[in-house]
Amino acid sequence: MSKTDELDADAIRELLRTEGDGIKENTRHFNEERYERIEEVGSETHERYRSEARQVKEDAIERLPELVERTTAAVEDNGGTVYVADDAADARRYVRDVVDEDDAESVVKSKSMTTEEIELNEALDASGVDVWETDLGEFVVQIAEEGPSHIVGPSLHRTREDVTELFEREFDTDERLDTAEKLTAFARDYLGERIEDADVGITGANFVLADSGSIALVTNEGNARKCASVPDTHVAVAGLEKIIPSVGDLHPFAELISRAATGQHIPQYLSILTPPVDTPTVDFDAPDEAGFGGSDADREFHLVLVDNGRREMRDDDDLRETLYCIRCGACANSCANFQSVGGHAFGGETYTGGIATGWEAGVEGLDTAEEFNDLCTGCSRCVNACPVKIDIPWINTVVRDRINRGKDPGFEDLLVDGLVPDEETAGTPLRKRFFGNFETAAKLGSATAPLSNAVASAGPVRAAMESLLGIDARRDLPSFERTTLRDWASDREAAVTDPRRRVALYPDVYTNHVQTSRGKAAVRVLEALGCEVVVPDVGGSGRAPLSQGMIDTAERKAEAVGETLGDYVDRGYDVVVVEPSDLAMFDREYERLVDEDVHRTLSDNSFELFEYVYGLLENGADESVLTAGDGDGVAYHSHCQQRTLGLEPYTEAVLDRLGYDVLTSDVECCGMAGSFGYKTEFYELSMDVGETLADQFADAADERTVVASGTSCLEQLDSLLAPAPRHPIELVDPGA
Ligand code: SF4
């Protein structure tokens, strides 16, 4: 199946059925290999390369105009030509002119996303030129007449059996191509002949080195080097962002790119060419003659540097980071949704995976980005995977915000606009406003519970919610507690008179209104360990509106939370957070939403609940006051944000210390992701992602108590497993 234009439940169901297995198997393999290679090289060394690579990219994009000039001078000194194409049409025209002037009938290409972006193959085809993709994955999708499903592995969605069937149907083969080796050998021979006959070779460039005019090509098949050196005319097409200052800056990328992409130690081929290359052209009819029967006299080289929106992206504070991307695909591999549906859903005209939103918004426009932007749940698993530390979830959020603002308001939008307490413009989709204003619904729900729960669960109401708001009727809705955590806490007597620490327990919206039991357990545990605990009168962190791309609303909430909790910190309280996604807000997103000082204060003084309990125990608190495990089995799933922040081990360590036998899931994400799993078009995808977790716990669930740290994870596990999962703090709660 090729790229779907309409991302609805049917299209997703079809992709889950046809492409999901291939994508899952391949991306998970890449992830496992990546984790292993990082462990081998050492996370400290890996992080040093990431920082160096980021630094080089920041510097290169900052100095882009100067580097373009230096590149041009160097390439011209070497005897080549540089053309800076304003847009895709300009780039296509230039390459077509080169091909026409050469009277070329046949062109061979190595893998290049930039040529996909400018739709070069279609343009050359239309001119009557035979174009052959020589990367095996690209060759497969070319033969299948479909778009790539992954930046690095274009045919990742296809199984070996698929490719056998495809090749045997398309080619008159002498033998059955029923193994990977036979398929590869066939493609190598077939494409080798095309390379021999080609008049022009077209490559991309992973990096362009400004000081020497060289290009660096990273491949696993060696085909790029052949495309560049066998035909006497070589055209390299690269985005402007591919320029780095010099070969000295290449090192961190050479270390990182294959490790991040496919989990390889090093790329099979890293070719640094300074074209026009000196290699003599080859006369394949006289390959044994001196100089291979060819000559080096008539080589031609054209470097086409494509702008196509990149200079505007450079001037855009939020999209600029996209230009640091080295197209390794690690963000796609680490994304749970991508693992299930691949790039034919999670991608635009050209680019796929998490960073595709930035690329598509920059080079194509918001309309294309809108087609798949909602598939990013903001889980942030891609953040640590990215070798150049791009804040991919933030780019997705910003683009979502811009898409919301670009909508024309209808009559109902104008009505709603006056009724909801947010900062958004009329036209922001109703469903986004509903989820973004969940705190308001929660306040109302608690104030009128249990009636609110009964009404919301009634069949006609669910049907109306499904048709008006796209909330899938198969999902259980949260059940609001009449007594909120704050109300409960404010009615209690102070339990600790001489506290070892003073804690402001942050009452996130769910812990305050829905899952109050975990909040109460947290209060009792912290008090048992000698802390004074208060539950401040403070609103939502802004996570809900931010997840809907409602940045102004999130900013207003963040400022209010920053002010209230900052005041507690000033008075000597530590902030303890139950919900990992809210802690991630304080630690990461608040950097963009509140003043630097406020962010620093909250980031430095906020702790994940088990991180804090662990710290208390390490500093002498008496663990015997907590409920011990006595070898009881626990199956534990940590929240994705918790893992991104590196906080998962604290829960394991505390449970282990208290005598629980802990089995931890290695699933990237539960698939629920806040509002995502409620949405009708994403319900089945959400469940598909969750199935992986359910499978992992299926055997364990009979003998172990299933626990999870995040609101969404608890909801998802509740719908997938019986009995209902619990928050780990409830296990150790002495008052339970
Ligand atoms: S954003 Fe980062 S992880 Fe994703 S493709 Fe680009 S470099 Fe790789």
Side-chain angles (χ1 to χ4, degrees):
M1 185 164 179
S2 293
K3 168 84 187 80
T4 56
D5 290 332
E6 194 69 15
L7 202 56
D8 59 17
D10 289 341
I12 287 179
R13 191 178 306 121
E14 180 64 3
L15 285 168
L16 286 171
R17 190 183 67 78
T18 54
E19 302 190 356
D21 289 348
I23 293 279
K24 251 185 217 132
E25 187 183 328
N26 288 312
T27 50
R28 287 179 190 167
H29 173 69
F30 286 162
N31 285 337
E32 280 163 22
E33 296 292 309
R34 173 164 49 86
Y35 290 139
E36 271 181 36
R37 294 297 87 72
I38 292 171
E39 206 176 312
E40 279 166 18
V41 78
S43 59
E44 214 170 290
T45 306
H46 182 71
E47 285 308 307
R48 180 161 48 78
Y49 288 135
R50 286 178 84 211
S51 299
E52 284 175 20
R54 170 81 185 197
Q55 185 61 46
V56 170
K57 276 292 188 180
E58 283 182 3
D59 172 60
I61 296 301
E62 181 64 30
R63 293 165 53 201
L64 188 60
E66 172 212 329
L67 293 182
V68 172
E69 277 182 27
R70 282 176 54 192
T71 304
T72 305
V75 170
E76 288 176 355
D77 266 2
N78 298 335
T81 305
V82 173
Y83 185 73
V84 179
D86 288 337
D87 54 27
D90 192 19
R92 284 195 300 268
R93 183 198 49 74
Y94 183 84
V95 179
R96 218 170 32 214
D97 286 353
V98 170
V99 170
D100 284 351
E101 276 164 30
D102 236 42
D103 290 328
E105 293 176 357
S106 169
V107 164
V108 283
K109 284 182 70 219
S110 68
K111 183 171 163 4
S112 154
M113 292 310 293
T114 311
T115 60
E116 299 270 358
E117 175 189 321
I118 63 171
E119 299 180 358
L120 184 58
N121 289 16
E122 292 81 345
L124 294 175
D125 268 346
S127 304
V129 177
D130 284 337
V131 184
W132 294 100
E133 293 287 350
T134 62
D135 170 90
L136 180 55
E138 285 288 352
F139 181 55
V140 169
V141 292
Q142 182 183 27
I143 298 302
E145 297 184 7
E146 60 188 6
S149 62
H150 187 280
I151 292 180
V152 170
S155 61
L156 218 63
H157 57 289
R158 285 190 167 265
T159 61
R160 202 268 304 148
E161 289 76 15
D162 279 345
V163 181
T164 294
E165 197 188 314
L166 178 72
F167 277 21
E168 290 183 351
R169 195 174 62 231
E170 293 295 324
F171 304 106
D172 188 15
T173 56
D174 297 334
E175 60 166 346
R176 290 235 53 209
L177 303 177
D178 52 3
T179 65
E181 289 74 18
K182 287 181 192 170
L183 284 166
T184 311
F186 170 80
R188 187 190 57 216
D189 292 348
Y190 187 89
L191 292 170
E193 287 172 22
R194 267 76 215 154
I195 292 172
E196 282 180 19
D197 293 343
D199 302 304
V200 172
I202 297 178
T203 68
N206 292 87
F207 303 94
V208 176
L209 313 179
D211 63 341
S212 60
S214 310
I215 60 171
L217 293 160
V218 180
T219 71
N220 275 333
E221 297 164 34
N223 57 314
R225 197 175 51 175
K226 291 180 189 166
C227 290
S229 58
V230 174
D232 56 14
T233 299
H234 173 200
V235 181
V237 181
L240 282 168
E241 82 285 0
K242 295 294 180 68
I243 304 176
I244 58 174
S246 72
V247 73
D249 299 303
L250 192 58
H251 179 224
F253 301 104
E255 286 281 349
L256 288 165
I257 193 163
S258 290
R259 196 182 303 142
T262 50
Q264 289 169 264
H265 292 277
I266 51 170
Q268 298 282 356
Y269 295 86
L270 170 54
S271 309
I272 303 175
L273 309 173
T274 305
V277 293
D278 291 335
T279 317
T281 52
V282 181
D283 179 350
F284 286 96
D285 293 327
D288 298 329
E289 286 184 15
F292 309 112
S295 107
D296 62 356
D298 51 2
R299 281 195 176 273
E300 232 181 86
F301 173 63
H302 301 262
L303 174 61
V304 183
L305 293 170
V306 179
D307 176 354
N308 202 29
R310 287 164 173 80
R311 284 190 273 219
E312 271 185 49
M313 290 166 78
R314 179 174 174 266
D315 294 337
D316 183 322
D317 286 347
D318 292 308
L319 288 191
R320 185 183 177 114
E321 261 195 290
T322 309
L323 298 173
Y324 306 159
C325 174
I326 58 171
R327 313 244 176 99
C328 70
C331 52
N333 300 340
S334 60
C335 169
N337 283 344
F338 188 94
Q339 288 174 14
S340 281
V341 285
H344 288 155
F346 203 149
E349 294 293 318
T350 309
Y351 297 99
T352 51
I355 196 60
T357 293
W359 280 120
E360 294 288 334
V363 304
E364 292 286 345
L366 291 178
D367 286 352
T368 316
E370 185 180 3
E371 288 170 13
F372 63 94
N373 172 263
D374 282 343
L375 279 169
C376 171
T377 63
C379 79
S380 81
R381 293 301 296 141
C382 53
V383 172
N384 291 352
C386 176
V388 277
K389 302 186 179 182
I390 298 176
D391 191 346
I392 301 157
W394 181 255
I395 292 171
N396 276 285
T397 302
V398 167
V399 170
R400 199 168 292 171
D401 183 273
R402 291 179 187 178
I403 292 167
N404 290 346
R405 286 171 194 286
K407 301 271 180 221
D408 290 331
F411 177 66
E412 70 284 2
D413 294 313
L414 294 168
L415 274 181
V416 169
D417 201 38
L419 295 174
V420 286
D422 62 28
E423 308 289 316
E424 306 308 305
T425 51
T428 299
L430 199 55
R431 178 165 71 174
K432 295 202 172 182
R433 288 185 108 162
F434 174 79
F435 285 121
N437 286 291
F438 180 70
E439 187 177 354
T440 306
K443 283 180 185 165
L444 199 64
S446 281
T448 57
L451 181 66
S452 54
N453 298 322
V455 170
S457 302
V461 176
R462 292 306 309 262
M465 285 173 114
E466 185 160 297
S467 70
L468 282 175
L469 296 170
I471 295 174
D472 201 288
R474 288 167 287 185
R475 274 279 174 214
D476 289 338
L477 294 177
S479 182
F480 298 109
E481 298 286 346
R482 178 72 176 223
T483 305
T484 64
L485 174 67
R486 254 196 59 69
D487 291 343
W488 173 83
S490 60
D491 285 347
R492 298 180 84 230
E493 297 288 321
V496 180
T497 47
D498 182 20
R500 64 168 57 233
R501 305 288 306 178
R502 302 170 80 196
V503 170
L505 185 76
Y506 175 64
D508 64 89
V509 175
Y510 256 80
T511 307
N512 196 35
H513 293 277
V514 181
Q515 295 175 5
T516 56
S517 58
R518 66 182 184 178
K520 292 173 189 173
V523 171
R524 286 190 291 260
V525 166
L526 293 169
E527 286 181 346
L529 294 174
C531 300
E532 174 200 327
V533 184
V534 294
V535 180
D537 184 7
V538 61
S541 68
R543 168 62 71 192
L546 199 71
S547 71
Q548 307 304 314
M550 295 161 58
I551 294 178
D552 285 354
T553 306
E555 202 169 84
R556 177 170 55 77
K557 287 182 179 288
E559 281 164 2
V561 169
E563 196 181 325
T564 305
L565 294 185
D567 189 44
Y568 275 95
V569 171
D570 289 345
R571 289 192 279 134
Y573 285 84
D574 302 319
V575 177
V576 174
V577 184
V578 178
E579 173 57 36
S581 60
D582 286 299
L583 185 72
M585 283 290 282
F586 298 167
D587 195 62
R588 241 191 11 244
E589 280 83 2
Y590 273 24
E591 189 177 359
R592 300 178 188 268
L593 299 174
V594 297
D595 286 347
E596 198 181 328
D597 288 348
V598 176
H599 168 243
R600 188 55 38 227
T601 299
L602 267 194
S603 177
D604 289 350
N605 295 285
S606 299
F607 305 89
E608 189 263 343
L609 178 56
F610 271 88
E611 177 191 20
Y612 199 76
V613 170
Y614 179 84
L616 291 170
L617 297 180
E618 281 292 291
N619 286 286
D622 179 9
E623 68 189 42
S624 70
V625 298
L626 303 181
T627 304
D630 294 329
D632 290 351
V634 170
Y636 168 56
H637 177 67
S638 64
H639 190 278
C640 40
Q641 302 276 12
Q642 198 180 358
R643 265 189 270 176
T644 299
L645 295 173
L647 297 171
E648 173 192 22
Y650 292 110
T651 306
E652 290 169 329
V654 170
L655 294 178
D656 190 50
R657 188 170 177 149
L658 293 175
Y660 293 90
D661 173 25
V662 185
L663 168 78
T664 304
S665 86
D666 60 9
V667 173
E668 302 278 350
C669 175
C670 72
M672 186 68 193
S675 62
F676 182 81
Y678 285 101
K679 297 177 178 172
T680 41
E681 70 275 33
F682 299 136
Y683 172 80
E684 283 164 64
L685 170 56
S686 163
M687 294 302 276
D688 186 77
V689 173
E691 282 299 336
T692 312
L693 178 58
D695 287 350
Q696 209 166 86
F697 281 174
D699 296 335
D702 288 341
E703 299 145 21
R704 293 170 182 267
T705 306
V706 175
V707 295
S709 315
T711 301
S712 296
C713 320
L714 285 162
E715 288 182 327
Q716 181 77 316
L717 282 166
D718 194 22
S719 61
L720 288 163
L721 297 173
R726 304 171 72 191
H727 191 282
I729 202 70
E730 295 175 76
L731 283 188
V732 303
D733 174 10

